């Protein structure tokens, strides 16, 4: 079943409620859109589990269909809000990597507080859910969003910035990233490790 519905929205999930084997690495993609990245990763890494989080129903349905068509048992998609999911729902120390790829930039100054990387719920949740040594990976075409992320994560001693050289590891281009690249925009990217 590709669609994941939490058994309870008001308590932290147990890893086993998402995928049966808690010994496997769990990777989460926030705002997974149509699921291109999620499905590409799940096909490339059958030994890991992948959970996509997306709030738009049409995109959740598309992702779910892609997972089913590919016959993947290591990928699920959940319809929920990213901040709440990170802050309250995902299991403590249960996530190996969290991906935030081309998030909604909220470019207007008066909307800065809506950027996920500026929200306390998200930042403290990120520190809580990542395993020691776990990683947060961000890509954005938006310079201001990128600077906000560098400032927010840089201010927290729980995170240490890592290099992310081109082609360091398999990492599919997302739909929005492809679109931005074709229209000549630069993609900024950064990677942090949860310090133990
Ligand atoms: C710009 S799109 C990027 C989609 C995909 N990551 C990509 O790069 O192709 C942002 C996605 O995040 C979703 N999204 C934005 N804010 C969200 C939130 N707070 N919770 C869950 N999904 C969210 C949107 O519905 C949209 O699908």
């Amino acid at each position: 079943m590709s669609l994941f519905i939490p058994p309870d929205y008001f308590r932290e999930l147990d890893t086993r409620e998402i995928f049966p084997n808690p010994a496997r690495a769990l990777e989460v993609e926030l705002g997974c859109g149509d699921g291109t990245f999620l499905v590409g990763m799940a096909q490339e890494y059958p030994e890991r589990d992948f959970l996509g989080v997306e709030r738009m129903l049409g995109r959740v349905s598309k992702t779910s269909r892609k997972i089913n068509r590919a016959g993947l048992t290591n990928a699920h998609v959940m319809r929920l809000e990213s901040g709440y999911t990170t802050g309250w729902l995902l299991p403590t120390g249960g996530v190996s990597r969290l991906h935030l790829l081309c998030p909604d930039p909220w470019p207007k100054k008066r909307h800065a507080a809506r950027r996920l990387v500026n929200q306390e719920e998200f930042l403290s949740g990120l520190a809580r859910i990542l395993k020691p040594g776990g990683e947060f990976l961000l890509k954005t075409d938006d310079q201001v969003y990128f600077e906000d992320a560098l400032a927010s994560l840089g201010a927290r001693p729980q995170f240490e910035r890592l290099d992310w050289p081109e082609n360091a590891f398999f990492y599919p281009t997302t739909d929005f990233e492809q679109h931005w690249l074709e229209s000549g925009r630069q993609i900024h990217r950064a990677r942090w490790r949860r310090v133990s």
Side-chain angles (χ1 to χ4, degrees):
M1 180 66 179
S2 56
L3 195 63
F4 174 70
I5 299 174
D8 188 335
Y9 287 91
F10 301 103
R11 64 162 170 81
E12 193 180 314
L13 289 164
D14 186 290
T15 310
R16 270 170 296 232
E17 291 175 315
I18 315 173
F19 288 101
N21 184 352
R24 285 163 58 96
L26 172 64
E27 301 200 16
V28 175
E29 184 191 3
L30 299 179
C32 67
D34 292 348
T36 304
F37 172 85
L38 190 80
V39 167
M41 290 290 279
Q43 285 175 317
E44 179 73 13
Y45 298 111
E47 73 284 6
R48 305 181 193 171
D49 292 327
F50 294 86
L51 177 67
V53 179
E54 171 57 53
R55 68 177 170 193
M56 285 184 65
L57 180 60
R59 292 179 178 171
V60 170
S61 302
K62 274 193 188 167
T63 302
S64 174
R65 279 200 297 276
K66 276 186 189 161
I67 294 171
N68 290 338
R69 241 183 272 130
L72 293 167
T73 55
N74 64 331
H76 293 333
V77 61
M78 168 170 76
R79 187 181 182 200
L80 209 63
E81 201 276 320
S82 296
Y84 182 81
T85 303
T86 309
W88 307 108
L89 215 64
L90 289 171
T92 299
V95 176
S96 296
R97 295 205 297 179
L98 187 127
H99 311 273
L100 180 62
L101 305 172
C102 301
D104 287 354
W106 296 107
K108 290 183 182 153
K109 215 172 177 177
R110 70 172 189 274
H111 291 155
R114 298 187 193 178
R115 294 174 204 144
L116 207 53
V117 294
N118 289 342
Q119 294 173 10
E120 180 56 34
E121 182 184 54
F122 170 73
L123 293 165
S124 53
L126 183 64
R128 180 183 67 76
I129 66 173
L130 283 180
K131 291 176 191 295
E135 294 183 13
F136 171 50
L137 297 95
L138 168 75
K139 280 189 183 181
T140 177
D141 67 299
D142 190 276
Q143 175 78 35
V144 174
Y145 195 104
F146 190 62
E147 284 166 9
D148 278 8
L150 295 183
S152 289
L153 276 286
R156 297 195 171 229
Q158 302 103 319
F159 300 103
E160 139 188 301
R161 183 133 180 229
L162 297 176
D163 281 345
W164 188 355
E166 193 81 44
N167 300 323
F169 41 77
F170 176 83
Y171 211 75
T173 306
T174 74
D175 295 322
F176 273 75
E177 181 183 4
Q178 187 61 35
H179 173 73
W180 296 134
L181 288 171
E182 282 165 11
S183 57
R185 295 179 75 148
Q186 191 196 344
I187 300 294
H188 309 278
R189 64 175 179 204
R191 177 181 169 215
W192 292 265
R193 177 171 36 212
R194 173 74 166 95
V195 178
S196 55

